[in-house]
Amino acid sequence: MTFASTVMVCIPATQAGIGEEPSSQSEIQGSITQQDLERDYLRQVELREWSAATRRATTTADDARGACDGIKDGTWGFHTEREPRPWWQVDLGTQYCVESIVVYNRCDTVASRAARLQVLISSDAHQWTQVYQHDGTVFYGFTDGRPLRVILNKSPARFVRVQLPDTEYLHLDEVEVYAADGGEVRNVALYKAADQSSLSMWSKWHPEGAPQARCYPVQKAVERGLALAEELLQFSSIGPETRGIIAQEVEKLRQVAAQARSPAAADQSVSRELYLQACLASRRIVLLNPLLNFESLVFVKRKPPVFHHMSDQHYGWWCRPDGGLYILDGWKTDSPRLRCLTTSLPSGSVIRPDVSYDGQRILFSYARYYPELHKHPNKLDKNNVPEDAFYHVYEVNIDGTGLRRLTYGKFDDIDARYLPDGRIVFLSTRRGITTQVLPDVRQVAVTSPQPDCYVRCGGGPERPVAIYTLHVMNGDGTDIRPISAFESFEWHPCVDFSGRILYARWDYVDRHNQPFMGLWSTLPDGTGVQAVYGNFTWNPLSVFEARPVPGSHKIVFTASAHHSITGGSLVLLDPRRGTDDEAPLTRLTPEVCFPESEGWPAHYYANPYPLSEKFFLVSWSDKPLADHGGQMDDAGPGLYLYDAFGNLHLIYRDPEIGCECPLPLAPRSRPPIVAGESPAFTSPTATCTIVDVYSGMPTVARGTVKKLRIVGLPVKTHPTMNYPELGLTHEDPGKFVLGTVPVESDGSACFRVPAGVSIFFQALDERGMALRTMRSAVYFQPGQTASCIGCHESRQMAPPNREIAALRKEPQPIQPGPVGSWPFDYNELVQPVLDRHCVNCHNPSGEGSKWDLTSNHSWETLVRYGKPSLADLVLEGYRRGRSLPGEGLAARAPLVSLLTKGHYQVALEAEDWERLITWMDLYGQKRGYFDDAQYQELVNLREQWRGGLVGMANAAR
């Protein structure tokens, strides 16, 4: 392939109006020259090989080099785990008479961790002599120009170690060791070999040696090219002529490798030229890949949104101008043509395209740009936001004709994907504020402004964070209906090869909000919801943009951040190897850390489109991934070919604006239709069966679990972050107790629940105390019959082949909880017990005034009582992120222990115990509703369902 200048032709869809034939075309001159490619390959070296900010440390030495690399910036050069007596040391290479050691500390709020720093020296790294112990005062260095200086007066040493005497993290900015060398006193630790006691999630890779001494990675580039050639030669479809061309390029790579072994290659300019030769040879090889059997690419040009967040990135009011939907024809040739299909639309943002199965149409979302809209202080009032400032779904033919808009209204509609049956699945903020969400076209508003529901931990009138969930519609935009009743965000739907929908969702029921954006799947009618990966995984934070790999059971995804746009490291997931943590993951781009959880990368990947397990279309940005308080470059990503061997080859880049979401423009196989349209329903209920609640709870003795408590999750209706505060974590979900159902002696249960309501379960003992609690939500569709094996059992587990006791009976009705549990309200649930038994003594003027249990103070008194208090236990579970068998809150609460042992003449009745236990097991919240209207809605649902779905006893408030 030659690298002559190329002509990009931009053919507008129309200038006259949506749906008309193209009437004109304009040409945009562009080029991808050999100079452009070389510039890109050199930029890759800077970021992928030499930058400390982009790579994950795999050895302790990788991280330790950061404290003797000459970089002093007030952050940490290395970072150990929290452990007893953590240490860092440097090998000076030979023995010196050390005159002084200068230590630069990390200069932020945790600088005090180094206040008792010890300094030791050794001649052999085995016998150490302590030469200094800091006095406990905090020192800095970079910010105040006053690093810690330890004077040694020419003490002989080859090894220098710094350590802490206690259990703590050790993280310093830089350590300098001064000694006479060659007639002058200098820092003899600079660029020397270093090591440390452990790695942590904040550890980073640091390059070896001085910057001016670094040679280009010729050998690595050659090895990558040879691995690529070997892989392509495995394809039986490659003919003799192509094999001959590959053989020629392989010979060139071997010649480059031979030259790289010569003494001359130690010169940086020589290694640079050899490196570029290897990269260009690899590029010529990869363009012969038979998997690249498509002549055109679809992609979008887009500037990053004003506000960078995993949720806000898809709200139209944050969008930027000049975006568009493009097709790059002849992308492997010397003269590709660039066609814009959206020039008839006003300046705005285009995101997340999808190509139809026949390769003839493209779905995308578009929002018009309004320059001052993002500054408006009250976006909550939709009268302040133009209707076309929201993202809406559009469709266009690949020749630019037939551009049409499919969705309307003041809602954001994004991530539209073609379903095998001709319908479209997409994400929308149309879910609304109702607790029960049914797959009924009447459930969602089409055009009129309606109130939204919101995330619990962010937002306000200036930044409403409305939840978007899965919806479906006909191919012409009619019959919009929700298929998800989830109470929080869902992202990035994709139809897999079996016809299921892969998507991410944010599960933080009574646990920390930072992680748990895991991968889930559902059938297109909203049934069969399953966790695929990451429901208990802290790293990565977000499992985004999942796509199934052709010819494989594996899935590729982008390991993304929480407080930024979608982007990060590319990962291959093998669900057969596990459903959580690192074991099922293969890091395809290990030079990029998992963003936010491991650091903030200086470059990032996104939008992986797998051609196989080893070849991918991707976007890659050579600019940093910024958090929501930082700045993102307008011209971030470009379009690339990436392979599992590490080769990254530029396809197209616009120097003014980011290029994202590359897709082959070609027909593709249509997955099977696995679930049709749900029929009209007469009773909005579902039937649930649990086979054996003890599966997944091996430490709980059989016969212990007597009931299941069913708890509903109403959505947040107020837009302001952590307001109103419902409980101790400040971001507690809404809750109401539907009631309990019995568990049979074999651990099984069968019962009906309301369809379209997010719920979770608690396994209860004979006292009604929780033994284990779900930390995620489930919901069911009308008429659905669903089952699970047990309680947090392995996803690979098969159900037992035996009779199930619960199925010998009719589904059991739900027995309602105590008064005040539906709607959930502390003042109605708990305070009456205190008024009957406690307030006579525990009041401001009573004998027990220290523990004031009158209505204005009792909640605070009870949650803070004892050690560990209920508040301590709640926050412990919240931070841990999962429920452990036998560690329910009421069972460990000091109040229960006090009352069980006996407290004066207090004699609680069964109902009193039920009230207190229910309150404690539901995280001791003040209430479970977000406003008075939601309270009344929950009352109405209770009355609607009582006597049928829910038993009559105690159902009245």
Side-chain angles (χ1 to χ4, degrees):
M1 178 178 179
T2 59
F3 298 96
S5 63
T6 61
V7 178
M8 306 296 187
V9 181
C10 185
I11 305 174
T14 173
Q15 298 293 340
I18 291 178
E20 297 184 12
E21 296 296 316
S23 57
S24 63
Q25 66 180 39
S26 58
E27 293 187 357
I28 300 175
Q29 298 295 324
S31 63
I32 301 177
T33 64
Q34 181 162 328
Q35 184 180 18
D36 295 328
L37 293 172
E38 291 180 352
R39 187 183 301 113
D40 191 81
Y41 291 132
L42 294 176
R43 180 65 171 155
Q44 289 183 37
V45 172
E46 293 176 16
L47 294 171
R48 300 179 67 205
E49 307 295 338
W50 292 347
S51 173
T54 63
R55 293 182 60 175
R56 183 173 181 245
T58 57
T59 68
T60 50
D62 288 344
D63 192 28
R65 289 192 294 266
C68 52
D69 60 358
I71 299 173
K72 299 185 284 286
D73 57 10
T75 61
W76 64 91
F78 72 95
H79 200 306
T80 72
E81 187 54 83
R82 190 175 190 271
E83 60 183 340
R85 300 174 65 84
W87 55 265
W88 175 95
Q89 67 186 44
V90 61
D91 179 358
L92 303 177
T94 188
Q95 187 155 291
Y96 288 92
C97 292
V98 177
E99 298 192 2
S100 65
I101 298 170
V102 181
V103 181
Y104 287 80
N105 197 5
R106 175 177 174 175
C107 299
D108 57 10
T109 57
V110 293
S112 60
R113 289 174 178 168
R116 300 185 66 233
L117 190 74
Q118 298 171 337
V119 179
L120 302 89
I121 59 176
S122 173
S123 60
D124 58 6
H126 297 292
Q127 300 295 320
W128 294 90
T129 301
Q130 182 173 320
V131 294
Y132 181 77
Q133 166 82 60
H134 196 51
D135 59 8
T137 59
V138 178
F139 66 94
Y140 298 98
F142 177 75
T143 55
D144 62 359
R146 299 175 62 189
L148 174 64
R149 298 182 184 274
V150 180
I151 306 302
L152 295 189
N153 296 319
K154 300 184 178 180
S155 299
R158 173 175 171 174
F159 298 89
V160 174
R161 173 179 284 191
V162 291
Q163 68 181 32
L164 296 177
D166 305 314
T167 298
E168 190 51 276
Y169 295 104
L170 177 60
H171 39 58
L172 301 170
D173 186 3
E174 187 81 358
V175 179
E176 299 176 338
V177 180
Y178 286 90
D181 183 44
E184 63 174 327
V185 176
R186 65 178 186 87
N187 176 17
V188 294
L190 189 63
Y191 307 127
K192 296 294 176 63
D195 205 355
Q196 64 194 54
S197 54
S198 62
L199 291 173
S200 73
M201 64 183 293
W202 300 280
S203 296
K204 301 175 183 178
W205 178 89
H206 299 272
E208 297 182 62
Q212 64 271 19
R214 294 174 195 153
C215 288
Y216 286 82
V218 181
Q219 192 60 37
K220 181 178 287 188
V222 169
E223 291 173 355
R224 287 171 173 172
L226 292 175
L228 167 65
E230 182 179 357
E231 179 67 22
L232 293 190
L233 290 173
Q234 303 302 312
F235 284 87
S236 59
S237 59
I238 291 184
E241 183 179 353
T242 302
R243 291 178 182 273
I245 297 173
I246 293 176
Q248 293 174 13
E249 298 299 337
V250 166
E251 181 58 29
K252 292 177 183 177
L253 286 170
R254 288 174 176 157
Q255 292 174 7
V256 168
Q259 295 176 59
R261 291 190 291 269
S262 70
D267 182 273
Q268 190 179 65
S269 61
V270 174
S271 68
R272 176 183 183 275
E273 179 60 29
L274 292 173
Y275 164 75
L276 291 174
Q277 290 180 28
C279 290
L280 293 170
S282 293
R283 179 183 178 85
R284 292 189 291 270
I285 294 172
V286 78
L287 291 176
L288 301 173
N289 190 337
L291 296 177
L292 305 179
N293 57 353
F294 45 92
E295 301 306 316
S296 300
L297 285 173
V298 174
F299 70 99
V300 298
K301 293 188 180 185
R302 181 198 184 204
K303 293 178 179 177
V306 174
F307 191 80
H308 315 132
H309 193 281
M310 62 177 185
S311 305
D312 300 69
Q313 63 181 324
H314 298 315
Y315 299 140
W317 48 60
W318 300 124
C319 83
R320 305 275 304 287
D322 305 326
L325 176 69
Y326 289 83
I327 293 177
L328 185 63
D329 293 317
W331 65 279
K332 292 178 290 183
T333 70
D334 295 335
S335 54
R337 295 188 313 136
L338 186 66
R339 297 187 285 128
C340 179
L341 307 185
T342 52
T343 54
S344 64
L345 298 174
S347 182
S349 179
V350 172
I351 61 173
R352 315 290 305 168
D354 189 48
V355 177
S356 63
Y357 292 106
D358 61 4
Q360 297 301 306
R361 291 162 291 132
I362 304 169
L363 288 172
F364 63 95
S365 290
Y366 157 82
R368 183 173 181 175
Y369 171 65
Y370 287 86
E372 300 300 317
L373 181 57
H374 68 279
K375 300 177 183 178
H376 201 289
N378 185 14
K379 304 178 190 71
L380 183 63
D381 183 351
K382 292 187 177 182
N383 292 320
N384 296 326
V385 183
E387 195 254 2
D388 60 355
F390 292 84
Y391 279 107
H392 292 107
V393 178
Y394 287 71
E395 185 180 51
V396 67
N397 296 326
I398 62 172
D399 63 358
T401 63
L403 178 63
R404 59 175 179 166
R405 178 173 166 182
L406 299 181
T407 64
Y408 296 82
K410 293 192 174 184
F411 315 95
D412 283 297
D413 301 320
I414 57 171
D415 254 324
R417 299 290 179 261
Y418 290 103
L419 288 170
D421 63 3
R423 293 181 302 153
I424 294 167
V425 62
F426 66 107
L427 298 171
S428 180
T429 56
R430 298 167 187 267
R431 183 203 186 284
I433 62 174
T434 59
T435 298
Q436 187 174 38
V437 178
L438 300 172
D440 185 354
V441 69
R442 296 166 295 181
Q443 178 80 43
V444 296
V446 177
T447 58
S448 59
Q450 297 291 323
D452 297 320
C453 61
Y454 303 96
V455 70
R456 296 191 296 276
C457 58
E462 77 291 348
R463 182 205 161 201
V465 187
I467 285 169
Y468 35 82
T469 56
L470 292 169
H471 289 64
V472 295
M473 62 181 170
N474 291 335
D476 60 1
T478 61
D479 200 20
I480 295 175
R481 60 186 65 202
I483 60 168
S484 169
F486 192 53
E487 57 91 30
S488 188
F489 278 99
E490 295 169 330
W491 287 274
H492 306 306
C494 176
V495 182
D496 72 12
F497 301 122
S498 71
R500 295 183 65 87
I501 299 169
L502 295 171
Y503 65 101
R505 82 178 202 185
W506 189 4
D507 250 326
Y508 70 115
V509 175
D510 292 335
R511 58 181 180 171
H512 202 287
N513 70 60
Q514 179 90 337
F516 311 128
M517 277 64 74
L519 181 62
W520 291 70
S521 73
T522 182
L523 295 173
D525 65 351
T527 61
V529 176
Q530 298 176 356
V532 177
Y533 171 79
N535 197 34
F536 295 109
T537 297
W538 287 77
N539 186 39
L541 297 180
S542 303
V543 182
F544 282 175
E545 300 189 303
R547 285 186 180 271
V549 176
S552 171
H553 59 274
K554 297 180 181 180
I555 298 166
V556 67
F557 70 85
T558 302
S560 196
H562 180 128
H563 296 98
S564 189
I565 63 172
T566 298
S569 189
L570 302 185
V571 181
L572 199 61
L573 166 67
D574 186 348
R576 300 184 305 180
R577 292 166 50 192
T579 57
D580 272 297
D581 301 322
E582 191 86 11
L585 306 184
T586 298
R587 298 192 186 218
L588 294 171
T589 55
E591 76 275 14
V592 177
C593 63
F594 286 176
E596 194 164 3
S597 55
E598 295 178 349
W600 287 101
H603 68 106
Y604 64 92
Y605 297 84
N607 321 134
Y609 187 94
L611 305 172
S612 72
E613 287 186 14
K614 297 182 178 178
F615 298 102
F616 308 86
L617 297 172
V618 303
S619 64
W620 178 68
S621 175
D622 64 343
K623 306 299 191 299
L625 183 70
D627 70 5
H628 61 307
Q631 296 293 319
M632 298 286 290
D633 196 283
D634 286 355
L639 309 181
Y640 288 79
L641 287 170
Y642 184 77
D643 61 49
F645 315 111
N647 297 293
L648 182 65
H649 297 290
L650 175 65
I651 297 172
Y652 176 78
R653 178 181 284 279
D654 188 319
E656 304 297 329
I657 188 171
C659 301
E660 304 175 357
C661 301
L663 303 171
L665 183 54
R668 54 194 171 107
S669 298
R670 188 185 299 265
I673 299 174
V674 293
E677 185 71 22
S678 298
F681 54 85
T682 57
S683 178
T685 64
T687 302
C688 298
T689 300
I690 297 175
V691 175
D692 183 4
V693 73
Y694 299 101
S695 293
M697 296 198 298
T699 60
V700 176
R702 287 195 168 272
T704 304
V705 181
K706 303 301 183 183
K707 296 179 180 179
L708 296 176
R709 182 184 289 133
I710 306 170
V711 183
L713 294 164
V715 294
K716 188 173 189 289
T717 56
H718 197 287
T720 300
M721 179 176 181
N722 299 339
Y723 181 87
E725 287 190 6
L726 304 190
L728 289 159
T729 72
H730 308 300
E731 55 194 39
D732 300 79
K735 292 173 186 168
F736 64 99
V737 178
L738 282 86
T740 61
V741 293
V743 173
E744 303 296 331
S745 59
D746 66 347
S748 64
C750 183
F751 50 91
R752 290 193 177 95
V753 294
V757 177
S758 285
I759 59 176
F760 68 89
F761 302 114
Q762 294 182 313
L764 309 182
D765 65 13
E766 61 184 0
R767 299 170 297 172
M769 293 184 182
L771 294 161
R772 200 169 198 184
T773 298
M774 286 179 63
R775 287 290 186 262
S776 58
V778 296
Y779 58 84
F780 306 100
Q781 300 297 341
Q784 181 181 355
T785 298
S787 64
C788 66
I789 297 174
C791 181
H792 290 255
E793 79 284 358
S794 168
R795 294 291 173 182
Q796 280 84 24
M797 182 181 290
N801 184 18
R802 62 171 174 80
E803 189 175 25
I804 299 170
L807 294 182
R808 294 198 296 263
K809 305 176 182 179
E810 288 294 314
Q812 298 296 295
I814 299 171
Q815 296 303 312
V819 174
S821 63
W822 182 358
F824 191 85
D825 193 311
Y826 171 87
N827 290 327
E828 299 175 7
L829 179 64
V830 176
Q831 192 61 44
V833 179
L834 306 180
D835 290 343
R836 284 194 295 271
H837 299 283
C838 309
V839 169
N840 284 341
C841 179
H842 293 284
N843 64 71
S845 58
E847 185 178 344
S849 59
K850 178 181 178 181
W851 304 102
D852 187 349
L853 297 180
T854 57
S855 59
N856 290 333
H857 301 93
S858 64
W859 181 82
E860 187 69 28
T861 298
L862 290 185
V863 298
R864 305 298 174 190
Y865 171 75
K867 275 295 175 186
S869 66
L870 181 62
D872 294 331
L873 296 173
V874 164
L875 294 176
E876 173 194 296
Y878 165 82
R879 295 181 183 119
R880 185 173 58 222
R882 68 169 69 202
S883 172
L884 301 178
E887 293 196 6
L889 292 172
R892 295 186 294 152
L895 178 62
V896 170
S897 177
L898 173 71
L899 295 175
T900 301
K901 292 176 182 177
H903 181 63
Y904 296 94
Q905 286 75 45
V906 175
L908 298 181
E909 298 179 358
E911 182 190 352
D912 298 328
W913 274 113
E914 185 183 16
R915 286 169 176 263
L916 293 176
I917 289 169
T918 300
W919 171 68
M920 285 183 276
D921 274 340
L922 266 65
Y923 261 44
Q925 291 185 201
K926 299 176 187 177
R927 69 188 208 193
Y929 55 92
F930 288 96
D931 57 33
D932 292 341
Q934 188 173 75
Y935 181 99
Q936 188 58 51
E937 181 209 18
L938 295 174
V939 169
N940 294 342
L941 288 175
R942 185 188 68 204
E943 297 306 310
Q944 176 184 333
W945 294 336
R946 65 182 297 188
L949 185 65
V950 180
M952 293 291 292
N954 301 322
R957 203 181 83 215

